[in-house]
């Protein structure tokens, strides 16, 4: 398996169990797609595509990753000004797409590693890794920024990993763990490492299989480190190379304007992404100011005739509410950026009103503390029949 790593950028093949190429860019797994056809398997989890996955076996929660619903959301069409679909990753076992990558990464570590896995996390990643580690009997280290909201820690702690709060530059931590992986024999399955990207690409396979033999016109992805966007791109490239899709849908990548290094590079026509300041945003899960797969995400958008854009805090709030009130879908603000971004791109003329566009809503809203004050009315049971009609609008 080690010999199958390749650099998306310079094409170099790397033998060691590395995560980055000597050119500095991230590696991913190359697979032989020549015999691939849509599977006839009755397995609806991500493992229905095992032919395109590293040769590992998950157990427990890992077998439940993937197979999330693709929802036609016609009630959002006016808001987004096109034909909308939602790929609802909120239904993953721990509520985010991270489970697809954790399933592959932890299964690999269980077979080949030292019994220790780790990750760097703003919350969702730690929760996902800790859950999969629990199911595969791996010791798990979750490194979090010191200012992580307390409620996020309680979700991670349920699975009983070792939680380490890190004071210092969070961007550097990613690179430090590459070194720690070797020296402490911990398999770090961070945001954009080859094992994680290999699992996370299955979301693109599911979307395209649902549309087969057609493809959607575009796929909208919230972006932070760029690992997820890289994975979606990788999945689409493999399907195209295998000949099961005729064209590659455009990738529309969306960031919060508060932290948007990749969108800035796109806007400036820059050849690479530069780190920005870390300002606060309600889209907490996508606030990576120094994205390790930023250049790869930029390439994904450019090479698929897509766009990288960013959206305001107000637009994110409005889209989060609209997903709930108009489509009944509760997602976290970091996921709702896909709807906010799509609306903006349609307004700016990038999307045609007849286009069919899939928004990946990356994570559930059920884990989020809400800012909204709730309006309600109190009625005594004995007067319910008399009082309820007064509330009809
Ligand atoms: C991790 C995460 C993202 C960003 O994914 P990257 O691979 O870091 O780009 C987006 N949304 C949610 C809900 C996440 O947890
Ligand atoms: Zn390279």
């Amino acid at each position: 398996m080690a010999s199958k790593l390749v650099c998306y950028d310079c094409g170099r093949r790397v033998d060691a169990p590395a995560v980055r190429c000597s050119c500095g860019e991230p590696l991913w797994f190359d697979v032989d797609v020549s015999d691939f056809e849509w599977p006839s398997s009755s397995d609806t989890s991500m493992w229905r595509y095992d032919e395109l996955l590293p040769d590992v076996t998950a157990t427990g929660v890992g077998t439940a990753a993937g197979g999330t619903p693709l929802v036609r959301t016609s009630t959002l069409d006016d808001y987004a000004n096109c034909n909308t679909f939602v790929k609802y990753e909120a239904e993953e076992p721990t509520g985010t797409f991270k489970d697809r990558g954790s399933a592959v990464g932890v299964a690999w570590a269980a077979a080949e590693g030292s019994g220790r896995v780790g990750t760097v996390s703003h919350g969702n990643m730690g929760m996902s890794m800790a859950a999969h580690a629990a199911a595969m009997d791996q010791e798990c280290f979750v490194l979090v920024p010191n200012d992580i909201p307390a409620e996020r820690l309680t979700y991670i702690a349920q699975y009983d990993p070792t939680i380490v709060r890190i004071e210092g530059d969070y961007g550097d931590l990613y690179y430090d763990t590459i070194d720690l992986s070797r020296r402490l024999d911990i398999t770090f399955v961070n945001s954009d490492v080859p094992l994680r990207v290999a699992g996370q690409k299955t979301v693109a396979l599911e979307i395209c299989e649902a549309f087969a033999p057609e493809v959607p016109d575009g796929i909208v992805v919230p972006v932070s480190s760029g690992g997820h966007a890289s994975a979606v791109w990788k999945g689409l490239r493999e399907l195209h190379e295998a000949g099961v899709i005729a064209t590659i849908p455009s990738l529309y990548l969306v960031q919060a304007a508060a932290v948007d290094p990749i969108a800035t590079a796109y806007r400036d026509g820059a050849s690479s992404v530069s780190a920005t300041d870390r300002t606060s945003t309600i889209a907490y899960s996508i606030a990576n100011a120094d994205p390790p797969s930023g250049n790869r995400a930029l390439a994904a958008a450019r090479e698929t005739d897509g766009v990288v854009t960013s959206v305001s805090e107000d637009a994110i709030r409005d889209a989060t509410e609209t997903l709930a009130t108009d489509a009944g879908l509760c997602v976290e603000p970091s996921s709702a950026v896909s709807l906010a971004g799509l609306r903006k791109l349609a307004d700016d003329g990038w999307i045609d009103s007849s286009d069919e566009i899939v928004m990946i809503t990356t994570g559930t809203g059920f884990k989020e503390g809400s800012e909204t004050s709730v309006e309600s009315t109190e009625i005594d049971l004995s007067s319910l029949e008399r009082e309820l009609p007064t509330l009809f609008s």
Side-chain angles (χ1 to χ4, degrees):
M1 111 167 225
S3 62
K4 289 186 177 172
L5 290 171
V6 62
C7 175
Y8 81 95
D9 192 28
C10 73
R12 193 173 288 135
R13 295 190 165 268
V14 178
D15 283 333
V19 300
R20 298 188 81 88
C21 177
S22 52
C23 79
E25 286 300 299
L27 300 164
W28 59 22
F29 278 101
D30 214 14
V31 284
D32 178 6
V33 300
S34 48
D35 295 332
F36 182 77
E37 286 170 19
W38 292 121
S40 54
S41 162
S42 60
D43 185 349
T44 57
S45 80
M46 61 179 265
W47 300 100
R48 70 187 273 100
Y49 307 109
D50 61 354
E51 211 188 310
L52 299 181
L53 292 171
D55 187 15
V56 296
T57 307
T59 55
V61 68
T63 62
T68 56
L70 179 77
V71 187
R72 169 73 177 104
T73 46
S74 52
T75 50
L76 298 176
D77 290 0
D78 282 346
Y79 188 84
N81 201 16
C82 60
N83 299 304
T84 60
F85 297 77
V86 164
K87 181 62 171 169
Y88 197 55
E89 289 292 280
E91 282 208 4
E92 295 286 354
T94 71
T96 69
F97 72 87
K98 302 281 198 307
D99 286 329
R100 297 177 186 267
S102 304
V104 170
V106 177
W108 183 87
E112 312 276 341
S114 63
R116 287 187 295 268
V117 296
T119 198
V120 172
S121 175
H122 284 94
N124 290 333
M125 179 74 90
M127 196 173 159
S128 177
M129 279 298 287
H132 290 262
M136 298 214 68
D137 198 22
Q138 301 290 295
E139 198 181 345
C140 183
F141 295 87
V142 179
L143 313 187
V144 299
N146 210 1
D147 62 354
I148 189 170
E151 74 204 12
R152 291 212 159 208
L153 275 187
T154 62
Y155 286 117
I156 300 171
Q158 293 177 95
Y159 304 102
D160 200 25
T162 300
I163 299 174
V164 187
R165 297 211 317 277
I166 304 291
E167 187 63 64
D169 188 318
Y170 196 72
D172 287 349
L173 182 59
Y174 169 92
Y175 295 96
D176 289 347
T177 56
I178 293 175
D179 199 36
L180 285 179
S181 272
R182 271 189 300 267
R183 294 207 290 183
L184 301 182
D185 211 3
I186 299 172
T187 305
F188 274 93
V189 189
N190 290 348
S191 56
D192 72 336
V193 302
L195 284 166
R196 173 163 297 284
V197 168
Q200 287 174 184
K201 76 182 178 192
T202 54
V203 72
L205 312 185
E206 288 176 15
I207 291 169
C208 288
E209 191 175 7
F211 276 84
E214 306 299 322
V215 288
D217 296 292
I219 300 176
V220 191
V221 189
V223 183
S224 186
S225 71
H228 188 216
S230 301
V232 173
W233 188 33
K234 184 73 170 88
L236 296 175
R237 288 162 58 120
E238 288 175 5
L239 295 178
H240 191 245
E241 195 189 332
V244 296
I245 61 172
T247 52
I248 293 188
S250 295
L251 286 179
Y252 299 108
L253 311 185
V254 190
Q255 303 204 280
V259 190
D260 66 346
I262 307 172
T264 301
Y266 179 86
R267 233 179 359 252
D268 295 349
S271 60
S272 64
V273 176
S274 305
T276 56
D277 290 339
R278 187 168 170 233
T279 20
S280 87
T281 167
I282 54 165
Y284 184 77
S285 301
I286 55 167
N288 194 323
D290 187 11
S293 274
N295 295 338
R296 189 161 59 173
L298 194 60
R302 285 185 176 147
E303 292 190 20
T304 60
D305 289 322
V307 178
V308 191
T309 191
S310 61
V311 289
S312 70
E313 297 291 291
D314 279 350
I316 298 170
R317 241 180 233 109
D318 196 63
T320 308
E321 272 171 36
T322 301
L323 274 156
T325 58
D326 292 14
L329 299 174
C330 176
V331 304
E332 66 168 275
S334 299
S335 300
V337 297
S338 53
L339 178 59
L342 180 55
R343 180 173 161 96
K344 182 175 172 188
L345 290 168
D347 276 354
D348 293 349
W350 289 100
I351 310 273
D352 207 82
S353 60
S354 62
D355 281 355
E356 293 188 321
I357 306 286
V358 177
M359 295 173 272
I360 303 183
T361 57
T362 43
T364 181
F366 294 145
K367 288 186 257 178
E368 295 290 292
S370 172
E371 298 175 343
T372 339
S373 63
V374 176
E375 255 178 66
S376 61
T377 305
E378 189 182 333
I379 300 176
D380 193 78
L381 181 55
S382 59
S383 50
L384 187 62
E385 191 179 343
R386 182 163 43 79
E387 296 273 335
L388 203 55
T390 69
L391 302 178
F392 293 170
S393 54

